[in-house]
Amino acid sequence: MAEAPVIISASGDTALRVASTMADREAGWRLVHHLARFLESAAVPGVECVIPTYDAALIEIDPLDVSLDRLRDFLTHVAAGIDFERPLSENPRTFDVPVLYDEDDSLDLADVARAQGIEISDVIRLHSEPTYVVRCLGAPGGSPMLDGPAFPEPVPRLSSPRAHVPQGVVSVAGRQATITPAAAPGGWALIGRTPLTVLDLDAERFVPYAPGDLIRFRPIGRDEYDALQGTRMSAL
């Protein structure tokens, strides 16, 4: 069997980190997420939690059920057999996310435009033009982590993070974009708000999307924002 294109290292005494070593970032992303899905579906003894990101997965274990060395050998074998050319999802779902790109003082839309040397309308256009792939789920509350829009420059994080960012805020930082499903502190630049309810603690899945799904942002006005307030986010 071919050598697995991953590096597996201990992360403390009860977790392993599996990181892709592939030059092709898309293939590496697919590899770690296929591995994570295999571990979740196979119910591997001792595996307590699997957290995949862009190019790595953290696997937390119960050391009473499995040792790190034994699991490392198993993961090396599994990773070597994964078809990383296979799409993460054969039929990805698409989520339409209406966004009110507001210029009020609580958001950073005008500051982002000024720092990029473009008009506010260009920020809105560049942010709402792409169809984004959900790369992984982040904090808080399962935020959809997305590759960012094609701004001229990476968007710097705030020099002083906010103590409170409300739910539904649409934000950017570096070359990434996301939605905030639950209120939390944050240092990303806020450029808009969606009226949709993203996080549902009563649902089987707290957030409706998964890695490999697609998100489109759609500019709306205040009237539509008010009319859609509290609507649950769902796929088209």
Side-chain angles (χ1 to χ4, degrees):
M1 180 174 292
E3 183 178 352
V6 295
I7 292 177
I8 303 176
S9 56
S11 183
D13 296 329
T14 58
L16 289 175
R17 182 176 183 270
V18 182
S20 166
T21 59
M22 303 180 70
D24 184 337
R25 296 181 64 188
E26 288 290 318
W29 169 70
R30 290 191 297 267
L31 171 64
V32 297
H33 281 269
H34 280 311
L35 175 64
R37 290 183 180 183
F38 169 81
L39 293 174
E40 290 167 352
S41 64
V44 177
V47 173
E48 295 286 301
C49 180
V50 184
I51 306 170
T53 61
Y54 281 82
D55 62 355
L58 184 71
I59 299 144
E60 298 179 350
I61 70 163
D62 182 342
L64 297 179
D65 289 335
V66 67
S67 70
L68 291 181
D69 288 341
R70 183 177 178 185
L71 184 61
R72 181 186 287 108
D73 292 341
F74 175 73
L75 293 174
T76 299
H77 175 81
V78 171
I82 287 177
D83 178 8
F84 48 75
E85 296 297 335
R86 180 166 54 93
L88 194 58
S89 176
E90 297 291 346
N91 296 292
R93 298 167 298 165
T94 299
F95 293 83
D96 175 79
V97 179
V99 179
L100 176 64
Y101 293 93
D102 206 335
E103 297 180 45
D104 72 20
D105 291 341
S106 67
L107 299 185
D108 308 303
L109 182 58
D111 291 337
V112 169
R114 187 162 43 250
Q116 295 291 323
I118 58 179
E119 299 296 324
I120 288 175
S121 60
D122 293 320
V123 173
I124 296 171
R125 175 181 58 81
L126 291 170
H127 183 262
S128 60
E129 275 183 346
T131 296
Y132 297 88
V133 177
V134 178
R135 296 298 184 180
C136 60
L137 306 185
S143 301
M145 304 306 297
L146 317 170
D147 295 335
F151 292 150
E153 301 291 338
V155 178
R157 293 174 182 262
L158 303 182
S159 57
S160 179
R162 291 178 171 89
H164 176 83
V165 175
Q167 65 180 6
V169 167
V170 174
S171 56
V172 289
R175 293 293 187 187
Q176 294 176 280
T178 194
I179 308 165
T180 300
W188 288 36
L190 315 181
I191 62 172
R193 299 183 178 90
T194 181
L196 302 183
T197 295
V198 180
L199 180 67
D200 184 354
L201 297 180
D202 293 325
E204 182 177 352
R205 296 178 60 92
F206 291 165
V207 293
Y209 42 78
D213 285 334
L214 307 174
I215 286 180
R216 297 173 182 162
F217 294 111
R218 175 172 57 87
I220 60 172
R222 173 63 67 177
D223 289 346
E224 187 173 0
Y225 179 89
D226 292 340
L228 292 173
Q229 188 68 50
T231 302
R232 290 177 60 181
M233 184 177 181
S234 59
L236 296 175

